Amino acid sequence: MPSFGLRHRRAWASLFSQLLRPSGFVCIREVHFHSQVSEAMLTSQLKPHQEKSNFIIKTPKGTRDLSPQQMVIREKILDMVVGCFKRHGAKRLDTPAFELKEMLTEKYGEDSGLIYDLKDQGGELLSLRYDLTVPFARYLAMNKVKRMKRYHVGKVWRRESPTIVQGRYREFCQCDFDIAGQFDPMIPDAECLKIMCEILSGLQLGDFLIKVNDRRILDGMLAVCGVPESKFHAICSSIDKLDKISWNDVRHEMVAKKGLAPEVADRIGDYVQCHGGVSLIEEMFQDSRLSQNKQALEGLGDLKLLFEYLTLFGIAEKISFDLSLARGLDYYTGVIYEAVLLQTPAQAEESLNVGSVAAGGRYDGLVGMFDPKGHKVPCVGLSIGVERIFAILEQRIKTSGQKIRTTETQVFVATPQNNFLQERLKLISELWDAGIKAELLYKNNPKLLTQLHYCEHMGIPLVVIIGEQELKEGVIKLRSVVSREEVAIKRENLVAEIQKRLSES
Amino acid sequence: MPSFGLRHRRAWASLFSQLLRPSGFVCIREVHFHSQVSEAMLTSQLKPHQEKSNFIIKTPKGTRDLSPQQMVIREKILDMVVGCFKRHGAKRLDTPAFELKEMLTEKYGEDSGLIYDLKDQGGELLSLRYDLTVPFARYLAMNKVKRMKRYHVGKVWRRESPTIVQGRYREFCQCDFDIAGQFDPMIPDAECLKIMCEILSGLQLGDFLIKVNDRRILDGMLAVCGVPESKFHAICSSIDKLDKISWNDVRHEMVAKKGLAPEVADRIGDYVQCHGGVSLIEEMFQDSRLSQNKQALEGLGDLKLLFEYLTLFGIAEKISFDLSLARGLDYYTGVIYEAVLLQTPAQAEESLNVGSVAAGGRYDGLVGMFDPKGHKVPCVGLSIGVERIFAILEQRIKTSGQKIRTTETQVFVATPQNNFLQERLKLISELWDAGIKAELLYKNNPKLLTQLHYCEHMGIPLVVIIGEQELKEGVIKLRSVVSREEVAIKRENLVAEIQKRLSES
């Protein structure tokens, strides 16, 4: 569907209103060397690494730098996400990058092995945070906060085998929105799904679907199918693979590796291959086995109410009740959800498989784990998978050949003559003090052509030019880089004229 | 000087245009309980921590959470700082929180012991970054970038003994601006000092001074005073204490603890007690001992040129040439600087001693340490001490009794009647989709008074009210929270009317 991809490329491109000529690092040909270092002193202090064996300059495995080009894309995404969180009345919170090690234990089930620990250098045992949810729960319990709508943007760390092609890293950024507090049922839950829809639509990632299930329905289903409680975890993790491998393979794993009776696996198969909307919820209410289970009925009742609210929000058609959705983390207790892109727009042929781009659920017991008296604070929330969204958008921009402007400089201060550094410095200082974004070349006597080339390379729209003639007449030349038109402006009017031009563009 | 403090309090207050009534966590009296958790399931999975011995809920030593109120202050500071960096044409960069351990070795001198190492869990040996400068140098070398003006906002970690009263933490935020590349002398260095002035003035922290020195002058001075090169480091660290203890105490340390001859210490004393402007530079040029030293002369020549540019930037009176400034980090090679507040505005009596609030210098050899062939890229930069600035501003706001608004919600959706949840959800969805920041209470049947109280508590300016009468007439009531005036508006005009009101306010 090339027209689909194209439409989306164009729409996203409009977000980047300042896309310009190739930026990157501008080469200026003549370089005047000036020894600002005493070589003798330096070498006595600093030994270059090449003297050591096996030294490779790199970032740690599974991590990366973000270049200025990448940071522009990253910040566009974060602005959109944070803007949505604020639209829904959330406050911002920040927590340390590491927590006491014991804060993170028994929260992540099988994934606990992926937690980064800090070395014991004397003092407390510490671990890097694995997500933003557990620190939030710790904050609520520690400060005895019973009600809070907060967002948190920050890095988290997981020692996963990085498959970088799919946008998975050991260090990655999460954007979390959570609602803590005892409220009437499913209203905050519905808002979380609304937020996911707003963000995924706003980012123009193409068509998406949010799968919804409930831990109580999942547990109830396993119980009525005859799975012993001790195997719930293992069987859930098999079910969770259904978006990657076929039911036959999942069934084989359950029976051959996890020792489930074939008829039990088949009963599970009847359920986990179901997905649909409100009608599927009704069907499950009537299901002879499932309707016997109290937990499952509670979950189904809540899902029904949820879909009522989703319909009022106009997003019901984006949500699919999916009995195969299992979400690994131990702390979920109620509704769970996960957003997937239905196709990778424009790059389907390049098989950029990004998996889920947002997920979350209800965790009513987590805060109580931190409270000395076990007092619970019900919570529901979501997390946006920034790295995966980033991978899609970066790929799209690459494919389109668009260049991204990495600075916001509005005015360049130039001179056609030698020995005008002093005047340029005075002038640019005036611009900075007036709040105008301005640059000059760090050279005593740059050539005019070099200066104008720099503006074109960097996409700077305006140039102010000062020379002997201008100085004598008390004027400055103001030049448009694109049209190359020049006008002389009285020096005292320059700032006002520049501000007028910039507000018009 | 109470009038001084007051003036600054008022000026800063104007930045917070939306300061309102006490916000915090609003208590709504009636709570309808709904069991969204299967208790049996939860307790089987989650064990509260109180069952373990000695469990205290806290953040790790030297770290802290930032509450929503604190995050508002933090973000105002970061916006100001980043705005200035962009005004000077910088691109944004990001690097991982940890680096290969060997990247950080031999960069920080005596401070290396403060680096946080990660536990060896198999694989690479890693350390949390100690500053943003070394990762920047590593980035330049790794990508063979020869020229770049970048900024970086991020957390760094140091295992210092935290003296929290002074705003020192083991995890803290830095804002760095650096210029890498071979340029004509002292132009980038002068811009760094200009940036420090713009930021410190912009934040209205009160009067400040930037001390400037040069590593070459410092080393030259030690040499001509007769300090053996092996003792340069130790003596520098003594000199560095002159802003905290008297010269007599520093002298005693040099002689008694570090084995310096008394007459050598006295010669040092003659220099390090000097500070001033251009005239002091001239004086040092004439100094019989110092003028014998090639390094010192190079440093003095650069400082003289620097002051020329600072005068053109109109900031020379903020800069003091100070022979006692030593800066601990190993990587500095040329000019070094450090900004100090001349008094703690408004809270002098509370002895909130924050020390230096910004610092930096030239490090021409650091990139070469990472380059396989030792190729150098000269760099100069600065770092803003966000935590210390934050401590001052937070204290000031506390003293003034001002309350900070922690959300940006513009409109609250209310109803005076029972059974209007559906209409409220439809209405708020329309507002969200129009980009309006809106909230409602997560209750089926909230009381109108509770809803209006919430708006007053949270500083929400507008309320839209929908009831049976409005629904029948196809209107919505729009209420101003402050004036309590209400008007009926046709439903189809509501979004436009709200947007008009918000743009006027």
Side-chain angles (χ1 to χ4, degrees), chain A residues 210-229:
Chain A
I210 303 177
K211 297 178 192 175
V212 171
N213 197 2
D214 192 295
R215 276 292 286 268
R216 292 164 296 174
I217 299 174
L218 199 67
D219 286 0
M221 177 196 76
L222 295 178
V224 301
C225 288
V227 179
E229 214 178 309

Side-chain angles (χ1 to χ4, degrees), chain A residues 413-471:
Chain A
V413 175
T415 184
Q417 283 165 307
N418 280 357
N419 303 316
F420 258 73
L421 177 62
Q422 295 208 343
E423 287 303 327
R424 283 154 63 215
L425 292 179
K426 261 202 287 193
L427 186 53
I428 199 166
S429 187
E430 281 174 41
L431 299 181
W432 286 331
D433 291 343
I436 293 166
K437 295 166 187 157
E439 280 186 87
L440 49 65
L441 292 193
Y442 303 127
K443 286 174 64 64
N444 290 316
N445 299 313
K447 291 186 180 168
L448 185 60
L449 205 61
T450 310
Q451 297 172 78
L452 296 178
H453 276 168
Y454 182 84
C455 296
E456 291 191 0
H457 273 299
M458 299 298 290
I460 302 170
L462 294 174
V463 189
V464 296
I465 301 171
I466 184 160
E468 218 164 307
Q469 190 65 23
E470 287 81 14
L471 198 60

Side-chain angles (χ1 to χ4, degrees), chain B residues 33-295:
Chain B
F33 190 85
H34 173 83
S35 167
Q36 284 166 319
V37 196
S38 161
E39 299 286 331
M41 192 190 65
L42 256 185
T43 44
S44 76
Q45 288 174 10
L46 311 173
K47 283 179 203 148
H49 283 283
Q50 75 269 26
E51 292 177 10
K52 299 168 199 158
S53 55
N54 300 325
F55 184 81
I56 300 164
I57 317 172
K58 62 185 280 291
T59 59
K61 186 179 172 189
T63 71
R64 59 170 169 179
D65 301 314
L66 289 183
S67 71
Q69 282 80 2
Q70 292 174 315
M71 281 305 284
V72 172
I73 303 171
R74 167 71 56 104
E75 291 201 70
K76 293 272 178 199
I77 296 170
L78 295 186
D79 284 351
M80 238 290 298
V81 170
V82 167
C84 178
F85 293 163
K86 286 182 176 175
R87 192 156 63 238
H88 288 263
K91 304 168 179 188
R92 185 163 198 168
L93 189 70
D94 189 51
T95 70
F98 43 72
E99 297 275 343
L100 297 181
K101 184 174 164 60
E102 56 189 338
M103 295 291 164
L104 305 191
T105 49
E106 292 179 31
K107 309 296 187 304
Y108 300 109
E110 291 174 2
D111 292 345
S112 292
L114 305 183
I115 294 172
Y116 275 101
D117 291 330
L118 270 70
K119 190 171 159 185
D120 183 359
Q121 293 169 290
E124 301 159 334
L125 291 182
L126 307 170
S127 300
L128 294 183
R129 65 185 174 204
Y130 183 86
D131 64 12
L132 303 176
T133 309
V134 168
F136 175 53
R138 193 263 308 143
Y139 176 87
L140 294 176
M142 186 173 129
N143 297 285
K144 304 200 187 311
V145 175
K146 297 286 174 213
R147 197 168 288 212
M148 185 179 200
K149 187 154 57 170
R150 83 89 178 77
Y151 73 96
H152 190 173
V153 175
K155 288 180 176 178
V156 301
W157 296 271
R158 299 181 186 182
R159 294 178 58 253
E160 283 180 288
S161 296
T163 49
I164 287 173
V165 159
Q166 296 194 301
R168 295 196 101 162
Y169 287 91
R170 291 183 159 199
E171 170 182 84
F172 56 98
C173 178
Q174 283 198 331
C175 298
D176 276 27
F177 172 99
D178 292 82
I179 301 171
Q182 188 65 58
F183 302 108
D184 281 344
M186 305 319 285
I187 313 177
D189 314 59
E191 184 169 3
C192 287
L193 289 167
K194 173 78 171 115
I195 287 173
M196 278 168 67
C197 284
E198 285 181 27
I199 288 171
L200 295 178
S201 304
L203 288 170
Q204 297 170 319
L205 297 169
D207 214 4
F208 62 88
L209 188 74
I210 303 177
K211 298 178 190 173
V212 171
N213 197 1
D214 191 295
R215 275 293 285 268
R216 294 163 295 174
I217 299 174
L218 199 64
D219 286 0
M221 176 195 76
L222 295 178
V224 302
C225 288
V227 179
E229 214 177 309
S230 61
K231 287 194 172 154
F232 275 21
H233 260 89
I235 297 305
C236 270
S237 96
S238 295
I239 293 173
D240 213 26
K241 293 178 184 162
L242 264 179
D243 55 346
K244 288 169 203 100
I245 58 176
S246 72
W247 165 245
N248 276 339
D249 292 344
V250 169
R251 185 185 181 282
H252 177 76
E253 185 179 297
M254 287 176 172
V255 175
K257 288 193 190 160
K258 301 189 172 170
L260 212 62
E263 64 276 17
V264 174
D266 288 333
R267 270 179 237 136
I268 295 175
D270 290 343
Y271 289 110
V272 297
Q273 292 177 87
C274 292
H275 45 88
V278 182
S279 60
L280 180 60
I281 299 175
E282 292 299 345
E283 209 179 295
M284 289 297 136
F285 263 122
Q286 308 305 324
D287 183 84
S288 58
R289 278 193 298 250
L290 212 52
S291 59
Q292 305 297 312
N293 185 285
K294 189 169 163 282
Q295 277 194 53

